[in-house]
Amino acid sequence: MRYHATIRNESFTFVDLRELLAKANEEKSGDSLAGLAASSARERVAAKWALADVTLGEIVANPVIDPDEDDVSRLIVETQDRAAFDELRSRTVGEFREYLLSERASEATLRRLRWAITPEIAAAVAKLMSNQDLVVAAAKIRNVTRCRNTIGERGVLAIRVQPNHPSDDLRGIVLSALDGLLFGCGDAVIGVNPAAESVESVVAIEHTLQRLMEVLGVPTQSCCLAHISTQLAALDRGAPIDLLFQSIAGTQTANESFGVSLSLLREGGERVLEHHARRGLVTTNDSQTDRDPHLSPLPKGEGDMQPRSSSHNVMYFETGQGSALSAEAHHGVDQLTLEARAYGVARVFEPFLVNSVVGFIGPEYLANERQIIRAGLEDHFMGKLLGLPMGCDVCYTNHADADQNSADNLLMLLTAAGCNYFMGVPCSDDVMLNYQSTSYHDAAAMRRLFGLRPAPEFNKWLQATGVFDGSQLAVAVDESRRQLIGKLDRVFS
């Protein structure tokens, strides 16, 4: 089906929905690299104009990638709540945008409808929104998850401590993690990107992080962000796995380039959940009240992707606009729409954390501050709308046209939008991955500026140790620091 729009007596035609979605996207260097972007600002406006009149039913009826050729497309079709979608089917994308920004779209209503909303619908409406619209709509939604603690509640801002080390030195990792804890960070996860992709490294890091948490009594979770197959091999060797990590994308071929499949993700989640039950972290008869009541189980058969019966959240996913294009697996679809499709994969597994690593992929896909900020707001909004516990690595590489002020701007916008968590990197500079992110100091500043607090269980620990006074960093923490540092030798004893 062709789409038409006229702007100032100039007519534009878009041959199908896939082209319309691509050319309605805000300017992104990745879309230009793929030859998908609008050729001018006028064509972009024309595409938005035409997209605003497309019904949601038409979007669902015309998948951007054929479900017969792509398991992510099949997953999206199979998991949609078709009964709930009936009340949205006849609305246009423009009308849906107006609805999301209205008082009628309450948090409870959006929670009820989230499995009716497909990733392509979320992407389409994001393309019609201003940056402010994306903040306002996302701020309505809170997606709460639970592992060893609880994140995502209104008034809570969690932080991942990222104590990476260029040689995976365990003492260096522990000291960096303690530095973050003393700034009130680490409630999202203490998550290490290993420098060496080996089972031995993952086993050593996981045991060390667990020992650190035990010695200090920290109510949080750990993760070693190796490939899922490496983590599962470490699990076989006795490594304690709190969260199972994997990068994912929005097409089957892109996921295959990462060395993963939907069935492997399902198997991994089930194995870690069983591991948690054996460790006493969760029981098989967990209360169902914590579980998403609208979670649509996948039909059995190809993929056999039945969601877990427990409410426990054990997965950690990272995504980023441009990942499918970088793997030459984008199938002619724009990077924003593909990012939304990655969230369609993630939500089936009820993850504890989802993180858009927005500027890490580089300027070939997001060239500058403007594009990075826009992508971060889009990703957060789409993920929240689809029911995910969205965090963001507010970051940039050193060859992008961005700086720390760029990161500060996006950090404040996403905090206002209700982002679940950010990164905590020593001095904002990751010495292993060689990119710029957000620091422990940034976390303290956002909590103070917006009146936010850490995860409730973690906040109690911070107060009990004297690191926090109420919900903010204590003015003097020298004694608390000495006591916690004094326990570090026990981590390695």
Side-chain angles (χ1 to χ4, degrees), residues 22-36:
K23 294 196 171 181
N25 200 16
E26 289 295 300
E27 183 180 4
K28 306 282 175 60
S29 55
D31 290 336
S32 298
L33 180 66
L36 304 175

Side-chain angles (χ1 to χ4, degrees), residues 21 32 106 140 175 220 224 239 259 315 356 372 381 431 456 470 481 489 492:
L21 287 168
S32 298
S106 66
K140 294 183 177 186
L175 285 172
T220 189
C224 186
M315 304 291 278
S356 167
I372 291 171
F381 161 75
V431 295
R481 184 180 291 111
D489 284 342
F492 299 97

Side-chain angles (χ1 to χ4, degrees), residues 25-293:
N25 200 16
E26 289 295 300
E27 183 180 4
K28 306 282 175 60
S29 55
D31 290 336
S32 298
L33 180 66
L36 304 175
S39 59
S40 66
R42 190 174 299 177
E43 185 180 28
R44 182 173 297 109
V45 171
K48 291 176 184 287
W49 191 275
L51 181 60
D53 288 334
V54 175
T55 67
L56 305 190
E58 188 172 340
I59 292 176
V60 170
N62 293 275
V64 293
I65 303 176
D66 188 344
D68 291 335
E69 301 175 359
D70 181 86
D71 61 7
V72 174
S73 292
R74 289 196 296 275
L75 183 66
I76 291 168
V77 171
E78 292 167 352
T79 55
Q80 186 188 22
D81 186 340
R82 295 177 180 84
F85 182 63
D86 284 342
E87 66 181 89
L88 300 177
R89 184 182 304 276
S90 63
R91 290 188 181 182
T92 66
V93 179
E95 290 169 344
F96 190 50
R97 170 191 171 274
E98 292 176 1
Y99 170 73
L100 291 175
L101 295 171
S102 73
E103 296 304 317
R104 291 175 293 135
S106 66
E107 181 175 4
T109 300
L110 294 178
R111 178 177 292 274
R112 178 177 61 82
L113 291 174
R114 63 189 182 187
W115 283 92
I117 300 167
T118 66
E120 286 84 353
I121 290 173
V125 74
K127 294 169 190 288
L128 300 187
M129 287 184 157
S130 68
N131 286 7
Q132 183 186 94
D133 292 342
L134 294 169
V135 171
V136 170
K140 294 183 177 186
I141 307 167
R142 304 304 306 190
N143 297 321
V144 179
T145 52
R146 296 173 178 84
C147 189
R148 292 177 183 269
N149 60 24
T150 307
I151 68 169
E153 294 176 321
R154 198 165 294 278
V156 169
L157 174 60
I159 304 295
R160 168 188 161 185
V161 163
Q162 186 170 302
N164 295 342
H165 194 281
S167 65
D168 289 339
D169 180 83
L170 297 178
R171 291 187 180 273
I173 289 170
V174 165
L175 285 172
S176 181
L178 179 60
D179 187 24
L181 292 170
L182 288 170
F183 275 96
C185 301
D187 45 346
V189 63
I190 303 175
V192 174
N193 299 86
E197 178 70 35
S198 70
V199 176
E200 292 75 16
S201 290
V202 173
V203 170
I205 290 170
E206 289 283 16
H207 276 298
T208 300
L209 294 179
Q210 288 288 321
R211 183 61 179 158
L212 174 67
M213 290 157 50
E214 291 168 3
V215 167
L216 301 185
V218 188
T220 189
Q221 35 285 320
S222 67
C223 184
C224 186
L225 284 72
H227 189 271
I228 184 173
S229 60
T230 308
Q231 294 170 82
L232 292 176
L235 181 64
D236 289 336
R237 295 197 193 179
I241 305 291
D242 283 349
L243 297 177
L244 186 66
F245 166 81
Q246 182 56 47
S247 294
I248 57 172
T251 71
Q252 179 177 340
T253 48
N255 284 321
E256 288 171 351
S257 76
F258 291 161
V260 298
S261 64
L262 300 182
S263 59
L264 178 58
L265 295 175
R266 169 182 168 272
E267 176 194 349
E270 290 177 349
R271 287 183 59 188
V272 172
L273 191 62
E274 293 168 358
H275 169 65
H276 281 212
R278 291 194 300 271
R279 292 167 65 196
L281 297 179
V282 62
T283 59
T284 54
N285 62 347
D286 266 357
S287 169
Q288 295 297 298
T289 58
D290 288 342
R291 192 166 174 272
D292 178 2

Side-chain angles (χ1 to χ4, degrees), residues 149 151 155-161 180-189 411-412 415 420-422 439-456 458-459 462 467-468 471-473:
N149 60 24
I151 68 169
V156 169
L157 174 60
I159 304 295
R160 168 188 161 185
V161 163
L181 292 170
L182 288 170
F183 275 96
C185 301
D187 45 346
V189 63
L411 180 66
M412 288 185 283
T415 305
N420 279 26
Y421 71 102
F422 299 110
S439 71
Y440 305 143
H441 301 77
D442 294 329
M446 291 305 100
R447 283 172 173 164
R448 179 175 293 108
L449 182 62
F450 288 89
L452 303 173
R453 62 190 183 280
F458 190 80
N459 196 28
L462 291 170
V467 175
F468 263 39
S471 60
Q472 297 293 335
L473 280 170

